[in-house]
Amino acid sequence: TTPDYKPTLADYKPTSPDCKSTLADKYFNPAPEGWCGPFVGKYLWKGPDTFSAGHRFPTFEEAVKKAEELGDDCKGITLTSSGFSIRKGELRNGKLVITPISDIHNSLACWHKAQ
């Protein structure tokens, strides 16, 4: 193409998003059985009441293990630049809220237990 090329409507090729992104699978851990995710660029609110909110796990596997040990007190995991944190999550109308990142959060991805 030339530098002054401008696409036209005829150049548009619609695509449907995949249920599970292969890009996400390449860079983020796949969800273990009984879990959903990864949800890239999203996070879960609040740490569990029964666990230190500031604690980070160096590996996804360690975070999943602790999340499973905590049972219903932990709904999922959020990955930030400082590691994996287990999350209590926030329920609205009986559904877990998965929040898009904002300037005040540095979340890379999140996973949650299947509901």
Side-chain angles (χ1 to χ4, degrees), residues 14-32:
T15 59
S16 296
D18 291 329
C19 179
K20 191 162 184 158
S21 167
T22 55
L23 180 62
D25 288 343
K26 182 176 179 181
Y27 293 103
F28 298 100
N29 298 77

Side-chain angles (χ1 to χ4, degrees), residues 45-51 66-76 86-90 96 113:
W45 281 100
K46 304 177 185 177
D49 296 332
T50 58
F51 193 77
K66 188 61 178 180
E68 294 289 350
E69 287 174 11
L70 290 173
D72 288 340
D73 288 341
C74 178
K75 301 291 186 208
I86 56 175
R87 311 302 285 168
K88 173 182 174 179
E90 179 181 353
L96 188 63
K113 295 176 182 175

Side-chain angles (χ1 to χ4, degrees), residues 7-13:
T8 66
L9 188 56
D11 297 323
Y12 174 70
K13 304 275 189 281

